[in-house]
Amino acid sequence: MLALMTAYVCPRCGIRSPADALTWCCPQCRGPWDLEFTSAPVSLTSLASRVNSLWRYEEALPLATGAPRVTLGEGRTPLVPLTDGVSAKLDFLMPTLSFKDRGAVMLAELARRLSPPRVLADSSGNAGTAIAAYCARAGLDCVVYVPEGTSAKKLEQMRAHGAHVTVVPGDREATARAARDAADEPGTFYASHVYNPHFLHGTKTYVYELWEDLGGRLPDTLVVPAGNGTLLLGAALAVEELYGHGLIDSRPALIAVQAEAVAPLAEAFAAGADDLLAPSDARPTLAEGIAIPNPPRAAQILRAVRATGGTFLTVTEDQLHAAQVDLARRGLFVEPTAAACWAATRASTPRPGLTVLPLCGAGAKTGLGGGRG
């Protein structure tokens, strides 16, 4: 039996909304939705004969019923060793050169089924290029709001896919506010990688692929970047599903990484807080893809890390640059944000067992030591 979506639910207020509605947030607290959804166990032995995209894990995915589905052959990225006990999953080899394709394909498929008059997204770069590409694949027009200073290469990619790009004066937070205001306009499908939980159910395939690649087990430690936390929360979802279905014996520790310059989650975690301590401002950092001063799902991120016995690590600008250069010398050219997890791993005490980290975005999008994630 294929898993089916049911409804959105606010984790704070308990308010529900049909999953086929265009209501993009909780009408009471304006917070992001969760998806009321129950997965079925995936059969490891059946995967060899399945489609070579993230839709191969159909039992675990909402929107898996019905065909054809939007796809660019995303997923199934290589897992390669970096050092003894540490491997990297090369998610920068996705169709649009970032892990954001995992969630974008879910949002594009949902939008295709709903056929809204308007699709809107906001991004500092990678999510926007992914949404633009998958909307193009689905035959949907979309508008992407971006902050000024967004990488010219990423803007070119969005426009090449046919997206209408709106440059918002100010930083990433100003862009998000402008997009949320526009999302309230009637007939708008807000393809938000933060507010729409379908995105998280796409990013959870990162862990399902690790489970498949490792023959039905998971690494002992998962190191993940944490800005808005979309990969981390997707990973947490997958871990709980696999454990709940008896497909793994134990949960790996989640280690979340932030840039020292913008580390509101790490600060809240160190203080033992359940949510952000106070609104903060973003300072300049090479890891601009995770430079999120006020992530809307902060409480969920903190809870997910604590539930696995994990922790937060922060990295300096010098460590980020050195890690990006080191990876390039190993044949892996990634953008600075994508080097954050390797920077943290190099600077920390090795954990027992296997550690896996993602390399999330290609260096070809930004160049060495700069650009937006």
Side-chain angles (χ1 to χ4, degrees):
M1 181 182 296
L2 298 183
L4 300 175
M5 71 172 188
T6 52
Y8 295 133
V9 59
C10 176
R12 298 174 185 171
C13 307
I15 290 176
R16 294 160 53 88
S17 173
D20 59 356
L22 296 181
T23 307
W24 63 269
C25 70
C26 172
Q28 181 166 303
C29 72
R30 300 284 286 181
W33 292 120
D34 282 349
L35 192 64
E36 190 179 73
F37 170 83
T38 302
S39 69
V42 176
S43 168
L44 186 64
T45 56
S46 72
L47 291 174
S49 61
R50 294 195 181 185
V51 62
N52 199 33
S53 76
L54 62 74
W55 294 110
R56 68 196 283 107
Y57 309 110
E58 57 184 8
E59 296 94 337
L61 293 175
L63 308 176
T65 56
R69 296 184 292 266
V70 176
T71 185
L72 287 168
E74 59 291 323
R76 306 292 292 135
T77 55
L79 181 65
V80 301
L82 290 177
T83 61
D84 289 343
V86 181
S87 291
K89 190 158 173 60
L90 310 189
D91 262 25
F92 70 91
L93 298 180
M94 288 282 194
T96 76
L97 306 182
S98 92
F99 86 97
K100 295 288 177 60
D101 290 10
R102 294 186 184 276
V105 66
M106 300 296 292
L107 295 184
E109 175 61 19
L110 178 60
R112 183 187 71 83
R113 297 185 187 196
L114 298 180
S115 298
R118 183 185 188 215
V119 176
L120 180 146
D122 63 295
S123 170
S124 59
N126 284 335
T129 60
I131 295 296
Y134 281 89
C135 279
R137 188 69 169 177
L140 299 167
D141 291 332
C142 75
V143 178
V144 182
Y145 283 47
V146 300
E148 57 186 358
T150 296
S151 164
K153 294 178 182 178
K154 293 180 181 179
L155 294 176
E156 181 181 9
Q157 187 179 0
M158 292 177 208
R159 291 176 174 131
H161 292 311
H164 307 280
V165 176
T166 298
V167 178
V168 178
D171 59 12
R172 182 68 182 86
E173 288 293 299
T175 303
R177 287 193 297 271
R180 291 194 292 265
D181 288 343
D184 286 328
E185 296 178 12
T188 299
F189 175 80
Y190 185 24
S192 171
H193 59 291
V194 180
Y195 280 81
N196 194 305
H198 286 87
F199 196 94
L200 305 182
H201 284 271
T203 61
K204 77 182 181 186
T205 59
Y206 171 85
V207 166
Y208 273 91
E209 287 179 20
L210 289 175
W211 173 75
E212 181 182 357
D213 290 341
L214 296 175
R217 66 183 183 93
L218 288 181
D220 301 278
T221 304
L222 292 171
V223 183
V224 286
N228 277 310
T230 54
L231 182 55
L232 186 149
L233 290 172
L237 272 173
V239 167
E240 290 306 311
E241 289 175 359
L242 290 166
Y243 186 79
H245 291 310
L247 297 173
I248 55 173
D249 295 328
S250 60
R251 300 174 178 88
L254 281 173
I255 309 299
V257 179
Q258 295 209 284
E260 190 177 90
V262 188
L265 293 163
E267 292 164 5
F269 184 87
D274 295 330
D275 208 334
L276 297 181
L277 299 176
S280 60
D281 295 323
R283 289 184 287 154
T285 175
L286 294 174
E288 291 186 3
I290 52 174
I292 309 296
N294 301 295
R297 293 187 184 269
Q300 291 175 278
I301 296 167
L302 293 166
R303 189 162 56 247
V305 172
R306 288 195 176 103
T308 67
T311 192
F312 276 80
L313 300 175
T314 60
V315 292
T316 66
E317 298 306 295
D318 286 344
Q319 289 172 327
L320 281 167
H321 178 72
Q324 188 190 21
V325 171
D326 182 73
L327 286 168
R329 297 293 186 267
R330 296 168 185 265
L332 301 167
F333 187 36
V334 299
E335 59 187 342
T337 300
C341 290
W342 180 229
T345 301
R346 294 174 78 204
S348 61
T349 303
R351 286 180 165 245
L354 176 62
T355 292
V356 172
L357 56 88
L359 298 180
C360 296
K365 288 188 166 195
T366 60
L368 190 66
R372 292 179 177 266

